[in-house]
PDB file of all heavy atoms in Angstrom:
ATOM      1  N   GLY A 121      65.373  58.143 -71.286  1.00 98.00           N
ATOM      2  CA  GLY A 121      65.419  56.680 -71.131  1.00 98.00           C
ATOM      3  C   GLY A 121      64.056  56.030 -71.302  1.00 98.00           C
ATOM      4  O   GLY A 121      63.913  54.816 -71.101  1.00 98.00           O
ATOM      5  N   VAL A 122      63.034  56.807 -71.610  1.00 98.00           N
ATOM      6  CA  VAL A 122      61.691  56.272 -71.913  1.00 98.00           C
ATOM      7  C   VAL A 122      61.226  56.986 -73.185  1.00 98.00           C
ATOM      8  O   VAL A 122      61.787  58.035 -73.540  1.00 98.00           O
ATOM      9  CB  VAL A 122      60.679  56.544 -70.753  1.00 98.00           C
ATOM     10  CG1 VAL A 122      61.104  55.827 -69.484  1.00 98.00           C
ATOM     11  CG2 VAL A 122      60.503  58.057 -70.503  1.00 98.00           C
ATOM     12  N   PRO A 123      60.209  56.451 -73.891  1.00 98.00           N
ATOM     13  CA  PRO A 123      59.766  57.116 -75.113  1.00 98.00           C
ATOM     14  C   PRO A 123      59.319  58.561 -74.879  1.00 98.00           C
ATOM     15  O   PRO A 123      58.649  58.876 -73.888  1.00 98.00           O
ATOM     16  CB  PRO A 123      58.585  56.257 -75.577  1.00 98.00           C
ATOM     17  CG  PRO A 123      58.903  54.902 -75.040  1.00 98.00           C
ATOM     18  CD  PRO A 123      59.542  55.163 -73.695  1.00 98.00           C
ATOM     19  N   VAL A 124      59.736  59.440 -75.791  1.00 98.00           N
ATOM     20  CA  VAL A 124      59.354  60.853 -75.758  1.00 98.00           C
ATOM     21  C   VAL A 124      58.591  61.155 -77.038  1.00 98.00           C
ATOM     22  O   VAL A 124      59.028  60.794 -78.134  1.00 98.00           O
ATOM     23  CB  VAL A 124      60.612  61.752 -75.635  1.00 98.00           C
ATOM     24  CG1 VAL A 124      60.255  63.225 -75.852  1.00 98.00           C
ATOM     25  CG2 VAL A 124      61.248  61.563 -74.253  1.00 98.00           C
ATOM     26  N   TRP A 125      57.442  61.811 -76.892  1.00 98.00           N
ATOM     27  CA  TRP A 125      56.583  62.118 -78.042  1.00 98.00           C
ATOM     28  C   TRP A 125      56.493  63.634 -78.227  1.00 98.00           C
ATOM     29  O   TRP A 125      56.182  64.365 -77.276  1.00 98.00           O
ATOM     30  CB  TRP A 125      55.177  61.548 -77.812  1.00 98.00           C
ATOM     31  CG  TRP A 125      55.191  60.105 -77.401  1.00 98.00           C
ATOM     32  CD1 TRP A 125      55.622  59.045 -78.142  1.00 98.00           C
ATOM     33  CD2 TRP A 125      54.765  59.557 -76.139  1.00 98.00           C
ATOM     34  NE1 TRP A 125      55.487  57.872 -77.435  1.00 98.00           N
ATOM     35  CE2 TRP A 125      54.966  58.159 -76.200  1.00 98.00           C
ATOM     36  CE3 TRP A 125      54.233  60.098 -74.958  1.00 98.00           C
ATOM     37  CZ2 TRP A 125      54.646  57.306 -75.139  1.00 98.00           C
ATOM     38  CZ3 TRP A 125      53.918  59.256 -73.911  1.00 98.00           C
ATOM     39  CH2 TRP A 125      54.132  57.877 -74.015  1.00 98.00           C
ATOM     40  N   ASN A 126      56.726  64.062 -79.442  1.00 98.00           N
ATOM     41  CA  ASN A 126      56.676  65.499 -79.754  1.00 98.00           C
ATOM     42  C   ASN A 126      55.227  65.928 -79.988  1.00 98.00           C
ATOM     43  O   ASN A 126      54.620  65.569 -80.989  1.00 98.00           O
ATOM     44  CB  ASN A 126      57.527  65.755 -81.011  1.00 98.00           C
ATOM     45  CG  ASN A 126      57.556  67.218 -81.404  1.00 98.00           C
ATOM     46  OD1 ASN A 126      56.868  68.054 -80.803  1.00 98.00           O
ATOM     47  ND2 ASN A 126      58.338  67.540 -82.416  1.00 98.00           N
ATOM     48  N   GLY A 127      54.705  66.727 -79.067  1.00 98.00           N
ATOM     49  CA  GLY A 127      53.322  67.223 -79.189  1.00 98.00           C
ATOM     50  C   GLY A 127      53.266  68.602 -79.813  1.00 98.00           C
ATOM     51  O   GLY A 127      52.271  69.292 -79.639  1.00 98.00           O
ATOM     52  N   LEU A 128      54.297  69.002 -80.505  1.00 98.00           N
ATOM     53  CA  LEU A 128      54.448  70.261 -81.267  1.00 98.00           C
ATOM     54  C   LEU A 128      55.628  71.060 -80.737  1.00 98.00           C
ATOM     55  O   LEU A 128      55.760  71.256 -79.535  1.00 98.00           O
ATOM     56  CB  LEU A 128      53.183  71.143 -81.207  1.00 98.00           C
ATOM     57  CG  LEU A 128      53.177  72.500 -81.936  1.00 98.00           C
ATOM     58  CD1 LEU A 128      51.783  72.853 -82.462  1.00 98.00           C
ATOM     59  CD2 LEU A 128      53.676  73.619 -81.021  1.00 98.00           C
ATOM     60  N   THR A 129      56.465  71.441 -81.683  1.00 98.00           N
ATOM     61  CA  THR A 129      57.495  72.446 -81.423  1.00 98.00           C
ATOM     62  C   THR A 129      57.358  73.498 -82.525  1.00 98.00           C
ATOM     63  O   THR A 129      56.524  73.352 -83.424  1.00 98.00           O
ATOM     64  CB  THR A 129      58.917  71.852 -81.500  1.00 98.00           C
ATOM     65  OG1 THR A 129      59.123  71.363 -82.835  1.00 98.00           O
ATOM     66  CG2 THR A 129      59.138  70.743 -80.485  1.00 98.00           C
ATOM     67  N   ASP A 130      58.216  74.524 -82.486  1.00 98.00           N
ATOM     68  CA  ASP A 130      58.181  75.525 -83.559  1.00 98.00           C
ATOM     69  C   ASP A 130      58.445  74.870 -84.918  1.00 98.00           C
ATOM     70  O   ASP A 130      58.028  75.392 -85.950  1.00 98.00           O
ATOM     71  CB  ASP A 130      59.262  76.597 -83.327  1.00 98.00           C
ATOM     72  CG  ASP A 130      58.976  77.445 -82.091  1.00 98.00           C
ATOM     73  OD1 ASP A 130      57.836  77.403 -81.590  1.00 98.00           O
ATOM     74  OD2 ASP A 130      59.910  78.140 -81.628  1.00 98.00           O
TER      75      ASP A 130
END
Side-chain angles (χ1 to χ4, degrees):
V122 297
V124 170
W125 310 295
N126 181 355
L128 179 148
T129 62
D130 293 345

